[in-house]
């Protein structure tokens, strides 16, 4: 594992049809860890009607892992599947097992949970219990991987309590 993580979070502005490579992102931003939000990259966020194409996720992950290995970069993936309330435990296990090639590399440090889960998004498909269940399920299947929880700025510790299921906890800081 890297002694110090400098991470770059790749979200909805990234275009997977014309991807910036891991090498290019490392050069441009100096990050030794890159987190790709798979759901946003493939337009499958919680409030979309798009069906998950996990084979597409795996193809994307495998290409980024190959780049990361040659560039000396670490990766995180974000998908909200393990943390959602709309899927059964068996469906989540099936999805995580299908995504196993995304996590079975030493270049992949783990999963990023739902970004800013305590925020008051309308119609969100997660709650405190599903965050705990998702964390526990992910750790059951991938015990050597880390779970990264990130929250929006301005919340108190009490407001974050119960949402904070992660091995790494971070809070956004918007400097621009």
């Amino acid at each position: 594992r890297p002694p110090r993580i400098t991470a770059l979070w790749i979200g909805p502005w990234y275009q997977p049809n014309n991807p910036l490579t891991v090498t290019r992102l490392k050069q441009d931003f100096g990050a030794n860890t890159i987190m790709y939000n798979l759901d946003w990259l493939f337009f499958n966020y919680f409030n979309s009607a798009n069906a998950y194409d996990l084979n597409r996720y795996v193809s994307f992950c495998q290409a980024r892992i190959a780049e990361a290995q040659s560039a000396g970069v670490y990766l995180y993936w974000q998908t909200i599947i393990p943390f959602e309330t709309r899927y059964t435990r068996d469906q989540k296990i099936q999805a995580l097992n299908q995504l196993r090639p995304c996590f079975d590399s030493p270049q992949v440090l783990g999963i990023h949970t739902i970004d800013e889960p305590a925020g008051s998004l309308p119609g969100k498909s997660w709650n405190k219990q599903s965050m705990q269940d998702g964390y526990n399920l992910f750790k059951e299947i991938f015990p050597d991987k880390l779970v990264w929880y990130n929250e929006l700025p301005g919340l108190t510790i009490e407001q974050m309590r119960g949402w904070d299921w992660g091995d790494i906890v971070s809070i956004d800081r918007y400097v621009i």
Side-chain angles (χ1 to χ4, degrees):
R1 305 231 161 132
R4 179 177 178 195
I5 295 177
T6 305
L8 176 64
W9 192 95
I10 304 297
W13 58 88
Y14 177 84
Q15 299 298 316
N17 294 332
N18 184 18
L20 294 172
T21 66
V22 168
T23 304
R24 174 79 187 274
L25 290 167
K26 180 182 179 182
Q27 290 169 349
D28 288 352
F29 298 98
N32 67 353
T33 304
I34 300 171
M35 192 284 294
Y36 290 95
N37 185 325
L38 298 172
D39 298 335
W40 281 7
L41 293 177
F42 296 105
F43 309 104
N44 291 324
Y45 205 54
F46 76 94
N47 56 359
S48 77
N50 296 334
Y52 283 96
D53 182 351
L54 298 183
N55 290 326
R56 192 172 177 202
Y57 282 27
V58 169
S59 294
F60 180 87
C61 292
Q62 289 175 321
R64 301 295 79 77
I65 289 168
E67 290 180 275
Q69 288 169 333
S70 65
V73 172
Y74 294 91
L75 300 169
Y76 267 90
W77 309 119
Q78 182 180 29
T79 179
I80 66 175
I81 293 170
F83 308 99
E84 287 203 80
T85 57
R86 65 180 170 168
Y87 299 114
T88 66
R89 177 178 167 81
D90 287 343
Q91 289 172 315
K92 293 174 184 183
I93 290 170
Q94 181 180 0
L96 287 171
N97 282 326
Q98 190 172 347
L99 291 171
R100 183 170 291 283
C102 293
F103 294 100
D104 276 350
S105 167
Q107 296 307 122
V108 178
L109 299 179
I111 193 169
H112 185 291
T113 67
I114 295 167
D115 192 43
E116 303 173 349
S120 58
L121 290 173
K124 64 185 179 184
S125 58
W126 58 87
N127 57 41
K128 290 179 179 181
Q129 185 63 51
S130 72
M131 295 299 292
Q132 178 181 359
D133 294 345
Y135 173 88
N136 290 333
L137 179 62
F138 184 82
K139 295 298 275 191
E140 178 183 318
I141 295 173
F142 302 105
D144 62 329
K145 299 298 179 180
L146 299 172
V147 177
W148 177 4
Y149 158 73
N150 181 67
E151 198 51 81
L152 70 152
L155 294 182
T156 66
I157 297 295
E158 190 55 42
Q159 289 170 313
M160 292 182 349
R161 194 174 319 278
W163 298 102
D164 54 347
W165 287 93
D167 303 305
I168 298 171
V169 177
S170 63
I171 298 173
D172 286 341
R173 176 158 167 85
Y174 303 108
V175 293
I176 299 174

